[in-house]
């Protein structure tokens, strides 16, 4: 079967007042119907990866090279109508801030129906009934009445549900989710995560879920790719990453979660901060903060180690047994 | 002179047994104005009858969902906004009686979440840190500021003359901490102070906060929506819901048993860290209600699985559990005389 996502050696560099090497040689493959969490800290390149997949980056100041195929479609060659059909049809996106996706001047029913008419070529009545069905599926109470409300009349959690309904109305093969639950309250966040999990199964679509929260990644995904300084530094199944993280950065992130740290115990904090990416990393970008760095780490990019099929770690020392802490 | 010698807090007056701060029946309602005439349309009951105390050297964590009144409580504690009702007593002295607002601000400092918004973009880091000390007429504010910067891990030679936009989020938060400490407070209120930081940087700042607490004998009120962080840093945890305190208890006690049905839901809403134990059922449905017209009686009754008629009518009092007097909960289930059909049994499993 065609791979759902096949990104090869993707580089994205923003040229402006400041140069930013946002993505550096990113490769990523996903099978149909898989759920992947892109985990990383601020500035690591998660959102840029999603925007590139959607063909959303401004071409003028952005230098992109590499290959991106979604369902066999060469994304970077898409222009005009074809690009519009691809966005919202093949792939759609939900954001942290629903205001980015929802238009304040139209009712939620109207917006969903519009999208359905555009992509599926059905008439208004049919599109409205799809909209109603979608609001039902995202568990909006009294969906019939909500069809005619405006986004601002809804609570934060409800707006998030509407955005999901809009994104899924045309049954995309791939859903891109950029921290859609970060701004929500804990008790609402878990509702939305479980809803997404259910809809993913029901629709059989693939999901890339961007987050900086490991717990959220565990709840939503079967696979995790960890990003640092515009690279994927580790990838594996969620179990592999949680139980047997190999990259020192991933291990540091897991420890910083404080999940099983004894109260008052000194934290094993990663010192320093991520690099600014004004120049393209030519050696291990984590070396300045890495507790087990060696001279070779600063000489060249580390080789990628493959402990098993579809599992990879970009670290010179990944094959060594991990010392007990 | 070391940085500890430059630390000159207001003297302890009541001894170790007297709480450093205690609040009773604290209330703050914000009027909502609307329409063309700007008439009052209602009130946000942001904080409604909140009481608690913080012992000397203790860290009290405050948790709850957004809008439940955490920040409003914090601002009341440092006198940034005026209370409608209630008492604030700092080391035995009541605000407005033997304690002036100026005295309170000398004893209590605050660190906010948004480090960018709270620093003046036109002041250098050194001037920001020295600002309060200068206003108070302390000796050599620049020297004090340099020492404090050094103490929080910002090399004054590198950072003194930079501006806020030239710093990372973690560095700016260190500036805010240095600025608060330059005033030699006894109580520091930290409102989501690490929430905007990346996990790896958050751990650095938490280590720093623990060290400073020890070194300067500080007392913290630590507000966060991250239960793991609150558990790590606090001695006791206070849970708020829609402007009210629903539970207060020592960390270990509340970690092993969440007495209030809301606290229990809040804890179960934490994402799992184990791929084999993912959450299967959301603990609560719907969003928190609007604090403009909070539900009658127990404010949680609209979302509580155990609500009965009495819950809609009467608000429960905050009282100690029979087995553990220092674990307080406000729920009719724990009050044998409340009239709740399951009263006296605690929360059913
Ligand atoms: N349009 C742009 N022009 C210039 N630089 C950009 C642009 N978009 C992103 N960047 C830079 O690219 C890098 C990666 O950004 P990205 O938005 O992907 O981070 P992220 O991992 O999503 O972080 P966060 O968790 O903060 O959302 C950052 O250094 C960012 O400042
Ligand atoms: N200055 C203000 N004017 C009107 N409403 C306010 C003001 N400050 C806070 N509120 C409201 O009071 C309630 C409690 O707010 P806050 O204390 O900031 O909550 P938290 O910090 O727990 O998220 C919210 O409904 C909020 O919108
Ligand atoms: S390659 Fe070297 S510096 Fe980089 S993470 Fe591995 S051990 Fe650390
Ligand atoms: S008082 Fe009633 S509604 Fe409130 S938490 Fe207890 S059982 Fe639930
Ligand atoms: Mg982002
Ligand atoms: Mg707040």
């Amino acid at each position: 079967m065609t791979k759902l996502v096949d990104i090869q050696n993707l580089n994205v560099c923003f040229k402006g007042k400041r140069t930013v090497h946002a993505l550096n040689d990113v490769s990523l493959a996903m099978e149909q119907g898989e759920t992947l969490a892109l985990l990383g800290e601020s500035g690591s390149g998660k959102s840029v990866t999603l925007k590139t997949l959607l063909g959303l980056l401004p071409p003028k100041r952005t230098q992109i090279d590499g290959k991106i195929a979604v369902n066999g479609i060469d994304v970077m060659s898409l222009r005009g109508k074809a690009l519009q059909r691809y966005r919202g049809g093949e792939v759609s996106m939900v954001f942290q801030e629903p205001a980015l996706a929802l238009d304040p001047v139209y009712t939620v029913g109207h917006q969903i129906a519009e999208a359905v008419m555009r992509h599926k070529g059905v008439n208004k009545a049919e599109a409205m009934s799809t909209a109603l069905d979608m609001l039902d599926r995202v568990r909006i109470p009294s969906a019939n009445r909500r069809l005619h409300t405006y986004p601002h009349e809804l609570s934060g959690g409800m707006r998030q549900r509407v955005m999901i309904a809009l994104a899924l109305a045309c049954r995309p093969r791939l859903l891109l989710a950029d921290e859609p639950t970060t701004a929500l309250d804990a008790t609402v966040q878990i509702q939305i995560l479980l809803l997404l999990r259910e809809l993913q199964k029901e629709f059989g679509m693939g999901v890339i879920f961007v987050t900086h929260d490991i717990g959220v990644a565990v709840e939503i995904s079967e696979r995790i790719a960890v990003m640092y300084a515009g690279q994927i530094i580790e990838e594996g199944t969620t179990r592999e990453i949680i139980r047997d993280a190999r990259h020192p950065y991933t291990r540091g992130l897991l420890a910083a979660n404080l999940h099983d740290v004894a109260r008052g115990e000194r934290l094993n904090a990663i010192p320093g901060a991520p690099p600014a990416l004004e120049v393209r990393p030519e050696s291990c970008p984590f070396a300045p903060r890495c507790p087990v760095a060696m001279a070779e780490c600063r000489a060249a990019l580390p080789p990628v180690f493959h402990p098993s099929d579809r599992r990879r770690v970009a670290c010179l020392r990944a094959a060594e047994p991990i010392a007990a802490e | 002179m070391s940085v500890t010698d430059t630390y000159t807090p207001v003297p302890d007056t009541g001894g170790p047994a007297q709480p450093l701060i205690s609040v009773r029946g604290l209330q703050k309602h914000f009027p909502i104005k609307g329409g063309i005439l700007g008439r009052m349309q209602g009130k946000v009951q942001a904080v409604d009858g909140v009481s608690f105390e913080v012992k000397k050297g203790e860290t009290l964590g405050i948790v709850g969902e957004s809008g439940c009144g955490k920040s409003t409580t914090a601002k009341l504690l440092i006198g940034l906004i005026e209370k409608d009702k209630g008492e604030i007593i700092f080391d035995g002295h009541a605000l407005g009686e033997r304690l002036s607002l100026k005295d309170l601000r000398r004893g209590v400092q605050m660190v906010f979440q948004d480090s960018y918004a709270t620093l003046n973009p036109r002041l250098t880091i050194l001037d920001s840190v020295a600002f309060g000390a200068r206003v108070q007429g302390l000796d050599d504010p620049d020297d004090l500021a340099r020492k404090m910067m050094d103490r929080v891990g910002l090399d004054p030679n590198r950072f003194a003359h930079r501006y806020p936009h030239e710093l990372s989020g973690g560095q700016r938060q260190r500036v805010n901490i240095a600025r608060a400490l330059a005033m030699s407070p006894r109580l520091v209120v930290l409102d989501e102070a690490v929430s905007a930081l990346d996990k790896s940087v958050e751990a650095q700042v938490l280590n720093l906060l623990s060290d400073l607490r020890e070194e300067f004998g500080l007392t913290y009120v630590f507000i966060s929506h991250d239960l793991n962080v609150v558990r790590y840093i606090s001695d006791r945890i206070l849970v708020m819901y829609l402007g009210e305190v629903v539970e207060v208890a020592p960390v270990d006690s509340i970690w092993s048993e969440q007495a209030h049905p809301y606290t229990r839901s809040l804890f179960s809403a934490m994402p799992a860290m184990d791929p084999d134990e993912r959450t299967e059922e959301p603990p609560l449905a719907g969003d928190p209600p609007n604090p403009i017209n909070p539900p009658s009686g127990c404010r949680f009754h609209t979302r509580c699985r155990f609500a009965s008629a009495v819950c809609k009518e009467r608000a429960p009092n905050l009282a100690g559990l029979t087995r553990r007097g220092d674990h307080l909960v406000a729920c009719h289930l724990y009050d044998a005389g409340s009239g709740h059909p399951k009263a006296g049994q605690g929360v059913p499993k």
Side-chain angles (χ1 to χ4, degrees), chain A residues 247-248 284 286-287 290 292-293 297 302 315-317:
Chain A
H247 197 286
C284 175
F286 190 58
C290 179
V292 294
C297 307
C315 169
L316 206 57
R317 308 190 63 166

Side-chain angles (χ1 to χ4, degrees), chain B residues 67 70-72 113 191-192 223:
Chain B
K70 305 181 296 294
S71 297
T72 305
Q113 162 169 14
D191 187 3
E192 302 278 3
I223 297 171

